[in-house]
Amino acid sequence: MAPHPSKAELIKEVETLRRELAELRTHETLSRRTSKGLQIVERQLAGIIQSTMDAIITIDDEQRVVQFNAAAESMFGCSANETMGKPIDRFLPERFRANHRQHVKNFGKTQITDRRMGALGAVSGLRVNGEEFPIEASISQFKKGKQRFFTVILRDITERKGLERQLRQTERLAELGTLAAGMAHEIGTPMNVILGRAEYLMRKTSEESTKKELTTIVAQVERITKIMNQLLSFARQRPIERHPLALSLVVHEIVDVFRERLEKQRIRLEVDLEPHCPTVPADRDQMGQVLLNLIVNAIQAMSGGGTLSLTLRCRNDHVLLSVSDTGCGIPADHVPKLFTPFFSTKEVGEGTGLGLTVVHGIIEEHQGSITVDSEPGRGTTFHIHLPVQQALAEPSPPRGRGQGEEA
């Protein structure tokens, strides 16, 4: 496959062919040979314009479209017939249109080629459905008789921008991993000393006010420790150790940790685990961390009470673990960002924005997947799909409702 030419190479080739056309057209009487050469050059030019992967749009001095190639039709989602004679700035977000029109006028005077629209801040195109997307642009001009025309070559750089973002995030996470490892060592020891002394003093004192203050110290130290553990998990400092694991055991272990807290916050617990589900190849501690993070989020979403539901289902080659709450729900525009590092819907100081990122990373490392269903005001459900331990899985009995547990 031939390499995709740069915009500079493409615009140079188009300009060369247009100059040849202009020279051929200067003859008042075309000989048969000249006429044939003109047709060849015209076909070459038309072929390049229609076959290139970049959008090529030609406009007149009033900045109205006079040429719109196939790539432009695909890029902007409209046909050439719909576009002819209409202003080109309809393909730019409104905030960029004035700058673009001035840029074209200035270009007509300076005649500087291959100038990026980005130099004037216009780095977005606008499809007819209203979707914005990043573009890179070059512009040139030519004359046909006394008329002046401009050719704009546009390249959709959505994919490139996405790869650049991924690279920046990867570099950021690598730096975070190094930082987290160092911080865990430097902070862990003094935090353990503070925690130990505070707990010792709590046992020694009988004054309620002092106990209350010491309880605050213990809670904050535990919060710091939790954040450090999340950072370490996020940085993947410990390799996972997969063993055949019954997820129902993990569910019961984690639920026991939260029973008292759920009762205090008036949250009803419903546990519905399908019996005889096959085991999954998983790290027990990391699966516990996944469930822990999801339950904590669910509790925080139900500040006024509600229902927390945990269900486990067998699905042929995988098991489905779901965690549901009847809390405040998540706005639709936030759902795609939930697993993004440092994104949080909580107030400043209430979350690191790493909990769900850690969950997502753990599930992916276990060759599983996690999805979210949420509706503002009605609650949220996280669905975790994990592959079963094929070699150890036993045939499951007929499916049934299974045994439930309620608190």
Side-chain angles (χ1 to χ4, degrees), residues 306-378:
T307 301
L308 172 66
S309 302
L310 290 89
T311 61
L312 181 66
R313 295 286 180 267
C314 311
R315 294 288 186 268
N316 297 322
D317 61 347
H318 71 276
V319 295
L320 171 62
L321 176 63
S322 300
V323 179
S324 302
D325 66 65
T326 57
C328 56
I330 303 168
D333 59 333
H334 286 179
V335 171
K337 307 174 188 175
L338 286 180
F339 303 114
T340 303
F342 308 107
F343 175 80
S344 178
T345 59
K346 301 171 186 175
E347 296 294 330
V348 175
E350 292 185 8
T352 61
L354 287 174
L356 288 179
T357 307
V358 170
V359 167
H360 185 264
I362 291 174
I363 297 303
E364 279 200 334
E365 284 193 356
H366 285 77
Q367 285 77 54
S369 64
I370 181 169
T371 56
V372 187
D373 292 326
S374 187
E375 185 177 344
R378 297 182 65 87

Side-chain angles (χ1 to χ4, degrees), residues 236-256:
R236 298 291 183 270
Q237 295 297 310
R238 182 178 70 82
I240 62 174
E241 299 177 2
R242 294 188 182 89
H243 301 286
L245 177 66
L247 286 178
S248 57
L249 298 178
V250 180
V251 172
H252 285 302
E253 286 177 356
I254 300 301
V255 162
D256 285 341

Side-chain angles (χ1 to χ4, degrees), residues 146-185:
K146 294 184 178 181
Q147 286 186 297
R148 182 172 58 175
F149 297 90
F150 300 91
T151 295
V152 182
I153 298 180
L154 304 170
R155 180 165 294 179
D156 185 339
I157 56 172
T158 302
E159 184 176 351
R160 193 181 82 193
K161 288 290 186 183
L163 291 173
E164 289 174 355
R165 282 194 299 272
Q166 289 178 21
L167 178 60
R168 286 194 298 271
Q169 180 169 307
T170 299
E171 292 172 345
R172 186 184 183 191
L173 299 186
E175 293 172 358
L176 176 62
T178 303
L179 177 64
M183 287 177 64
H185 176 72

Side-chain angles (χ1 to χ4, degrees), residues 276-297:
H276 309 297
C277 269
T279 59
V280 297
D283 184 304
R284 186 168 187 154
D285 290 342
Q286 291 200 351
M287 285 298 107
Q289 185 177 359
V290 165
L291 204 53
L292 187 84
N293 282 340
L294 294 180
I295 292 177
V296 167
N297 283 351

